[in-house]
Amino acid sequence: MNEKYILSCCSTADLTEEQFKAIDVEYICFHYELNGKPYLDDLGKSMNADEFYRAMSEGAQTRTSQINPEEFKQYFRGFLEAGKDILHMTLSSGISGVYNAAKIAAEELSEEFPGRKLYIVDSLAASSGYGLLMDKLSELRASGMGIDELYEWAQKNKKRVRHWFFSSDLTFYIKGGRISKASGFVGTVLNICPLLDVDYEGRLIPRFKIRTKSRVIREIVRRMEEQAEDRSGYAGKVFISQSACMEDARAVADLVEQKFPQMSGRVQINNIGTTIGSHTGPGTVALFFWGDVRTN
């Protein structure tokens, strides 16, 4: 563990336990319910992704809840008592109220630990896009960047993480009210796959209605060609997250690797975790990369 300060986030960064350990990032878990039974969103320990999405497909009801201020206080206190400063990045405030809960906890703890630093950053990101941001912060910390400088870097650069999502199953977008029942019915009949992104305020916004999965796969990669840092010369990392549709995710990854031969390593494919997945349901693929700053 880094002796100088702790890097921390929420489980909704949708990395694996092994990935979090590899980049030396701590995390705190959201909560969800499946048919009224409570679980921790604990990276698949309580219930793996296959079981979770199978249950959703069979009609299980899901409900999520964010981390509350008391949970944050208990979590942060352990690091502060050990003499560690903390930079914690939360799930986007455009999706959840968890940023406010973390801020409340930090303000109360600042009185108890006046000599320690506890920075809270709103990621304005979600799923493995949030994970991509944490991965970069870990690299910068390892290069020697101090907590104050890293905090400033995160605030300045977090909107450079681009997010594009598509779904081939509209069921849970209709349930969640993102798509009307009428539009969902028509979309299903016409084999429409909505293409969405995360905007400058960290909100998930529907952008395009594209017929057929093969077309939306090409279109999501075309968006990366238009927005990626250095365009076809992109040399950064690419993360994908998916919900029970690995074949579709692999198709996107193969096309990305073909179009961006200079990218850093292979595309990393993760599961969409149970918190985000409770709202997307199965059939969603999300693509994340470094690119143009998200603006209004």
Side-chain angles (χ1 to χ4, degrees), residues 74-261:
Q74 182 178 353
Y75 170 72
F76 291 145
R77 182 176 280 111
F79 301 126
L80 297 170
E81 287 177 342
K84 305 289 186 180
D85 295 329
I86 306 167
L87 191 158
H88 180 85
M89 184 166 276
T90 71
L91 177 65
S92 172
S93 61
I95 294 172
S96 166
V98 72
Y99 171 70
N100 291 331
K103 287 288 286 184
I104 291 168
E107 287 166 10
E108 292 182 9
L109 287 168
S110 66
E111 300 175 9
E112 191 176 337
F113 298 91
R116 297 261 59 91
K117 295 175 182 177
L118 174 48
Y119 288 123
I120 307 297
V121 181
D122 178 358
S123 73
L124 299 179
S127 194
S128 295
Y130 179 13
L132 183 63
L133 186 51
M134 296 309 301
D135 181 83
K136 183 64 176 179
L137 295 184
S138 176
E139 286 182 2
L140 294 171
R141 178 183 58 178
S143 74
M145 189 176 286
I147 191 170
D148 299 323
E149 189 181 358
L150 190 65
Y151 171 75
E152 295 299 331
W153 190 95
Q155 295 287 33
K156 183 178 179 181
N157 290 277
K158 62 190 180 182
K159 292 183 185 178
R160 290 176 45 232
V161 178
R162 303 304 302 237
H163 306 54
W164 284 96
F165 298 70
F166 73 80
S167 184
S168 56
D169 184 343
L170 306 183
T171 305
F172 295 91
Y173 289 83
I174 297 166
K175 278 188 177 182
R178 294 190 183 279
I179 297 173
S180 70
K181 288 184 179 179
S183 295
F185 174 77
V186 172
T188 300
V189 170
L190 297 179
N191 199 19
I192 287 174
C193 299
L195 185 61
L196 311 90
D197 78 341
V198 169
D199 73 357
Y200 73 108
E201 292 185 318
R203 301 171 300 180
L204 186 59
I205 307 294
R207 298 295 186 187
F208 307 100
K209 298 175 182 177
I210 298 172
R211 289 191 68 177
T212 77
K213 193 187 296 182
S214 61
R215 287 181 181 174
V216 81
I217 287 171
R218 292 195 298 272
E219 184 63 22
I220 198 172
V221 177
R222 193 175 74 81
R223 294 288 150 187
M224 182 173 172
E225 290 179 289
E226 291 178 349
Q227 297 173 343
E229 185 176 68
D230 298 324
R231 303 302 189 257
S232 62
Y234 181 74
K237 293 182 180 180
V238 178
F239 285 4
I240 286 175
S241 55
Q242 57 84 34
S243 54
C245 52
M246 179 58 81
E247 187 176 327
D248 298 340
R250 189 67 255 170
V252 174
D254 289 346
L255 191 53
V256 167
E257 290 170 358
Q258 175 190 325
K259 296 283 188 180
F260 301 93

